Amino acid sequence: MSTREEVFDAAVVAMRRGNELLAAGADDSHPDYAAVMPSLHAAIAAGFTHTEIYQAATAPK
C-alpha cells in the first residue's frame, strides 16, 4: 500500500505528464492522458486538492 506522500508524488508526476500532453495538443482521448487520471483521482481521494497537486506539478524543479 502506498503512503499518502507516495500517492501525492505520483499525482504530481501524472499532472506534469498531463500538462505536457495538453501542451502538445493532445486531448482526453489520448491513451497517455487517460493513464494519468487514476493517480490524480487517488490523490484527491486521499485528501489533496487539485490546487495543491497543480502547484507542485508546475513549481520549478
Side-chain angles (χ1 to χ4, degrees):
M1 178 175 257
S2 298
T3 67
R4 193 167 186 270
E5 183 177 329
E6 289 169 334
V7 169
F8 180 77
D9 290 345
V12 170
V13 169
M15 184 166 282
R16 283 186 186 133
R17 178 64 180 143
N19 288 343
E20 289 170 355
L21 290 167
L22 290 173
D27 62 14
D28 61 358
S29 66
H30 190 286
D32 284 354
Y33 188 82
V36 304
M37 297 312 290
S39 294
L40 296 174
H41 291 158
I44 290 168
F48 294 103
T49 66
H50 182 271
T51 301
E52 290 172 310
I53 300 164
Y54 180 81
Q55 287 175 337
T58 59
K61 293 181 186 180

